[in-house]
Amino acid sequence: MEDAKIVELFWARNEDAIKETDAVYGRKLNALAKKILLNLEDAEESVSDTYMETWKTIPPHRPKYFFAFLASICRHLSLNKLDWKMAAKRNAEVVCLTEEMQRCIPDTGYERAMEAKELGRILDGFLESLPKDSRLIFLRRYWYVDTIAEIAQRYGMTESKVKMQLSRTKEKLCTYLKKEEIYI
Amino acid sequence: MNGRDIFLGLSYINSRYIDEAERDTVCEHAKVPSGKQSTQQSPVKHSRFPRPLLIAALIAILLALVGCGIAAVIFGGDSIQEWFGFYWGEITGQYMGADQTAIINKLTQEIGVSDTDGDVTVTIDSATGSANMFYLLVRVEGYSFNKQYQYGFYQYGFNRIQCEIDTQMLPAKLRGGSRSIRYLGVNQDGAGLFLVILCYELSDMGADDLLEPLPMKLTLENLTRRINLKKNKPVKEGQWTFSFSLDRSEIPEKIALPDTLVGGFNEDTGESIPVLLRNIVLSNFDLRYTFDSPQGNITIYPNNSVLLKNGSCIQSWHGSGARSEDRLTFNCTSYWPIPLNIDDIASITIAGTEIKLSGGNTQIYPEPVQQNATTDQTDGNEQATTPVRNVLTDYYPRQLPEGYSVRDDALIDQSTWSILYRNETEDTVRFSISSQNVFTDAVLAPPVEEKCLSVSGHAATLQISGKGGQVLRWNNDTDGYYAALFTTDLQVDLIAIAESVTPETP
């Protein structure tokens, strides 16, 4: 079923909306949650919560990008559910990624508290400034938590090229955060 | 702040980036031959090919790119040719070659019209373009631009850009258009430079080769600076209006490409199917093609790019699509972000299928098109033109509640225009007008009180939700439009706004 029709089901308060959403996007959402949580049961719970949150949010929302809308909720809920200490012990991918992000913060930026939403807006500006290829690779890595090998496979590139692109993008992020006065 | 904060902050980025990363792919030139690819895993299978309605996808791309002034650029020049040279370097990583420069120069004309409001003078310096697409270099003097905002997100813009094209000068019905503005930075004298990008679409795809000058009226209102993703702050109030003609005597180069099969899908069944693209025409400005969709359910993903002979890949920056008048085919256009020299193009890629350009491609030399402005015979044997109004652009509220100003306006599809007004407390009023469709998508939270009344003598329905929010819908069958006003502010008098929706007086 196409996205617009599923959204209509949500608006009509028809519970088939959840069934149809799961049929179309369930696997992708499960994969995303599992990459973050490394636990099938927690991932399934996260996806289930995603459907519930979507049910509560549509209406009044009418998302233009339905999968992005679902995936955002799923990623957010999964990160909230994540036991970071346990994840660190298990050397989870998501912990490595946050450490990589840590290295993008200018030295004086650690003192600055910033709301995630505000940071999201700044990151929007950063993403807009990137060439499309770099943006896609950056988001596959840090938003979808894809491995380097998965990104290379997805885009038909070598792993070393993906790594190089990511390294350059992270340098740009550091420069961007400096210019956006994150360090103040 | 730590790395986890940034990771969490990514949860709040714009959905379009998330969507793009899910369904788009990198430029062909970024890929390597399959033999060099990572061989650790089998190819990733996409469980479901996204199948948005073509128009919706195209319009979404168009809207997403409107106001793309947040790109991080520092441009130090002062002419439109220098801008294109600079931008060429940004998107290709190379210097612009002699032939490409010659194309830009050939398509560039001086305009040189200014308007002053208070102590700020705005000048339309020059234009590059022809046919139905123009880039205008705008210079703003008399305001002290802060160089701190030259790079990054907090850039300057205008609160409103209004462009009026004399539709009688067009050889076919105007079916849509867009205008966007990009801040380029300050020149050596401290003047702010902007690029205004205008394009329009005609109902007949082949009808845009009119050689006569195109009269145009452009209005810019209130210089603003972006302070966050959703809000622009007025930094200098004013209105600058320009009337000028765009020379269209330089016809864009065009070549016809062979009919080509690309991957598409049937929206009803979800099946991937081959789609035959016909009438493929590549020009300096855009790529056009048509395909049959008699049931309206066949679509392709509009992911188009050109590969230059020097190895650079340039993606189309936005596109539009509409059904033909017989509703059997889709007419699609993708615009290039910069005018291109066709001789420098090695291949184009449409919906993932590459079409190589060979010397055998047919060069198209368009014949000048006769104007078809409506004329009436008068008693005195003189011809008088009949004014033709475009309800989408000519009709909008002339009276707004105190404190509200235009925040955004956009062409939603070829028959619907929407304007968003916002006040300082972030309450909104949205005005939508359509030449074809009744508005039914604004649903208020119950309990809802409904009243039947009239707007300028036309039947209207006002709904007010007990939880906040009002919607007013009416149909003006005299002037031929459906309209709706929606607000989150219960203090706003929607009837008064609706009564003020009138066309511009000629």
Side-chain angles (χ1 to χ4, degrees):
Chain A
M1 184 179 277
E2 72 183 52
D3 290 354
K5 288 178 182 163
I6 299 176
V7 172
E8 281 309 320
L9 290 177
F10 276 104
W11 271 82
R13 312 314 287 157
N14 183 335
E15 291 183 12
D16 284 348
I18 291 176
K19 193 176 75 183
E20 294 293 343
T21 305
D22 190 55
V24 179
Y25 294 119
R27 280 177 58 191
K28 280 187 183 180
L29 294 174
N30 263 303
L32 175 63
K34 198 178 159 203
K35 277 180 180 172
I36 294 170
L37 293 165
L38 295 177
N39 178 307
L40 192 59
E41 202 173 315
D42 287 350
E44 282 175 0
E45 192 179 306
S46 203
V47 172
S48 182
D49 290 348
T50 299
Y51 297 150
M52 184 53 68
E53 198 59 35
T54 307
W55 180 258
K56 285 194 281 184
T57 322
I58 306 174
H61 285 280
R62 194 180 282 278
K64 187 154 80 174
Y65 305 108
F66 185 53
F67 174 69
F69 181 81
L70 294 168
S72 295
I73 295 173
C74 183
R75 183 181 189 273
H76 191 70
L77 292 175
S78 301
L79 286 171
N80 280 349
K81 204 185 281 283
L82 182 67
D83 180 339
W84 288 89
K85 281 184 186 169
M86 184 62 74
K89 280 183 189 169
R90 295 169 67 183
N91 201 21
E93 188 82 7
V94 70
V95 175
C96 302
L97 295 180
T98 56
E99 284 169 2
E100 287 176 25
M101 287 285 96
Q102 182 102 2
R103 290 194 281 275
C104 296
I105 303 173
D107 288 345
T108 46
Y110 300 115
E111 304 304 320
R112 170 101 187 252
M114 185 175 275
E115 277 188 19
K117 278 187 185 176
E118 190 187 349
L119 200 47
R121 288 188 198 118
I122 289 168
L123 290 169
D124 269 336
F126 169 66
L127 292 169
E128 185 65 37
S129 73
L130 289 178
K132 185 180 170 188
D133 292 0
S134 306
R135 184 165 63 232
L136 293 180
I137 292 168
F138 180 82
L139 287 176
R140 288 313 311 182
R141 182 70 175 140
Y142 296 103
W143 205 96
Y144 286 98
V145 200
D146 283 357
T147 62
I148 302 286
E150 283 172 330
I151 298 169
Q153 195 71 40
R154 182 182 191 94
Y155 294 137
M157 303 165 78
T158 60
E159 291 188 21
S160 61
K161 184 157 187 180
V162 173
K163 282 181 195 166
M164 188 181 67
Q165 280 266 28
L166 283 170
S167 168
R168 286 178 182 164
T169 307
K170 281 186 284 183
E171 275 175 33
K172 285 182 184 172
L173 175 60
C174 190
T175 309
Y176 191 86
L177 292 177
K178 274 183 192 167
K179 285 190 186 292
E180 293 293 319
E181 299 176 333
I182 297 296
Y183 58 89
I184 292 172
Chain B
M1 189 172 70
N2 57 32
R4 196 188 299 175
D5 291 333
I6 297 187
F7 204 71
L8 294 172
L10 278 169
S11 295
Y12 294 93
I13 61 170
N14 192 311
S15 295
R16 74 182 165 94
Y17 298 124
I18 304 165
D19 184 72
E20 179 189 60
E22 177 59 23
R23 62 182 183 171
D24 276 15
T25 188
V26 296
C27 270
E28 288 299 316
H29 82 281
K31 299 179 180 177
V32 294
S34 55
K36 290 185 182 176
Q37 269 176 236
S38 166
T39 54
Q40 295 155 359
Q41 295 174 14
S42 59
V44 175
K45 287 184 180 174
H46 299 275
S47 58
R48 174 183 178 270
F49 196 87
R51 22 180 221 278
L53 284 169
L54 177 68
I55 294 173
L58 289 163
I59 295 295
I61 291 168
L62 185 155
L63 293 178
L65 284 159
V66 165
C68 54
I70 57 175
V73 293
I74 302 177
F75 166 55
D78 193 40
S79 72
I80 198 164
Q81 291 98 328
E82 283 176 292
W83 159 254
F84 281 121
F86 169 81
Y87 187 55
W88 183 266
E90 285 286 298
I91 60 175
T92 67
Q94 303 190 27
Y95 288 106
M96 189 184 276
D99 292 343
Q100 176 65 36
T101 304
I103 285 289
I104 300 285
N105 288 337
K106 179 184 162 192
L107 295 168
T108 297
Q109 55 189 287
E110 279 190 25
I111 304 290
V113 294
S114 299
D115 189 24
T116 301
D117 189 340
D119 45 7
V120 174
T121 298
V122 180
T123 303
I124 309 292
D125 175 271
S126 48
T128 300
S130 194
N132 61 333
M133 182 165 192
F134 288 90
Y135 306 80
L136 309 178
L137 184 73
V138 176
R139 185 179 294 112
V140 179
E141 292 159 299
Y143 174 77
S144 180
F145 288 88
N146 189 335
K147 285 191 177 178
Q148 185 185 349
Y149 303 123
Q150 186 135 343
Y151 178 94
F153 186 71
Y154 302 101
Q155 297 195 350
Y156 294 95
F158 284 90
N159 192 276
R160 182 176 172 84
I161 313 161
Q162 188 172 344
C163 171
E164 293 168 39
I165 296 172
D166 183 348
T167 51
Q168 293 189 48
M169 290 301 295
L170 301 177
K173 192 177 166 189
L174 185 69
R175 69 167 167 85
S178 73
R179 65 268 187 280
S180 60
I181 191 160
R182 178 171 194 159
Y183 179 55
L184 308 182
V186 294
N187 67 8
Q188 288 183 337
D189 302 327
L193 298 177
F194 296 83
L195 195 70
V196 172
I197 305 166
L198 306 171
C199 50
Y200 60 86
E201 291 291 322
L202 301 178
S203 54
D204 177 357
M205 287 187 77
D208 52 14
D209 299 312
L210 188 68
L211 296 175
E212 294 173 25
L214 181 70
M216 181 171 289
K217 185 179 170 190
L218 182 72
T219 303
L220 302 173
E221 268 180 27
N222 297 345
L223 185 65
T224 60
R225 184 171 65 74
R226 185 172 287 210
I227 55 173
N228 63 38
L229 190 63
K230 291 184 177 172
K231 202 166 180 182
N232 292 316
K233 172 185 167 189
V235 292
K236 195 74 187 176
E237 293 196 347
Q239 180 169 301
W240 298 271
T241 303
F242 314 89
S243 293
F244 53 96
S245 287
L246 289 167
D247 180 8
R248 294 184 292 180
S249 57
E250 289 292 348
I251 300 176
E253 292 172 14
K254 293 182 179 181
I255 56 169
L257 298 171
D259 294 355
T260 301
L261 275 175
V262 302
F265 44 87
N266 182 319
E267 286 188 10
D268 292 340
T269 64
E271 284 177 331
S272 293
I273 52 166
V275 174
L276 181 66
L277 302 186
R278 296 180 288 106
N279 308 321
I280 306 174
V281 176
L282 172 67
S283 84
N284 303 121
F285 296 106
D286 56 36
L287 174 69
R288 292 162 183 245
Y289 48 84
T290 62
F291 60 89
D292 293 334
S293 179
Q295 307 298 321
N297 56 355
I298 307 298
T299 189
I300 64 169
Y301 183 62
N303 184 18
N304 303 327
S305 62
V306 293
L307 180 65
L308 302 181
K309 288 174 182 167
N310 66 13
S312 301
C313 176
I314 297 176
Q315 297 275 352
S316 59
W317 73 281
H318 81 70
S320 64
R323 277 171 179 258
S324 58
E325 289 188 351
D326 61 12
R327 305 190 69 75
L328 298 176
T329 58
F330 263 123
N331 299 323
C332 302
T333 308
S334 285
Y335 294 98
W336 309 126
I338 187 167
L340 297 173
N341 177 29
I342 291 177
D343 290 342
D344 287 341
I345 298 175
S347 68
I348 61 168
T349 298
I350 310 177
T353 299
E354 188 178 27
I355 306 171
K356 291 198 185 310
L357 269 63
S358 63
N361 297 123
T362 312
Q363 189 102 23
I364 300 173
Y365 299 97
E367 293 295 320
V369 179
Q370 294 295 315
Q371 291 182 56
N372 66 346
T374 313
T375 55
D376 288 333
Q377 201 72 22
T378 60
D379 290 340
N381 245 1
E382 294 169 340
Q383 287 191 331
T385 54
T386 304
V388 179
R389 291 196 200 287
N390 180 342
V391 294
L392 300 191
T393 54
D394 294 351
Y395 288 71
Y396 55 88
R398 306 287 159 173
Q399 181 188 325
L400 290 174
E402 197 176 333
Y404 280 85
S405 61
V406 175
R407 170 65 186 87
D408 190 19
D409 63 339
L411 186 68
I412 304 302
D413 58 40
Q414 68 267 35
S415 66
T416 310
W417 191 271
S418 179
I419 308 175
L420 179 70
Y421 306 91
R422 198 185 290 273
N423 67 7
E424 282 192 348
T425 56
E426 297 294 302
D427 287 314
T428 57
V429 173
R430 180 176 287 282
F431 169 70
S432 303
I433 186 166
S434 174
S435 56
Q436 291 180 7
N437 302 315
V438 182
F439 292 99
T440 55
D441 59 344
V443 179
L444 297 177
V448 175
E449 182 192 350
E450 187 167 311
K451 295 176 188 170
C452 293
L453 29 85
S454 78
V455 169
S456 305
H458 301 281
T461 309
L462 176 67
Q463 291 181 322
I464 302 172
S465 166
K467 293 185 177 173
Q470 334 174 41
V471 181
L472 176 68
R473 299 182 182 90
W474 73 102
N475 171 19
N476 184 327
D477 44 15
T478 311
D479 294 340
Y481 66 82
Y482 299 94
L485 279 160
F486 170 79
T487 182
T488 50
D489 184 351
L490 286 177
Q491 305 302 314
V492 165
D493 182 357
L494 291 184
I495 308 286
I497 303 174
E499 298 274 5
S500 76
V501 174
T502 51
E504 188 127 25
T505 43

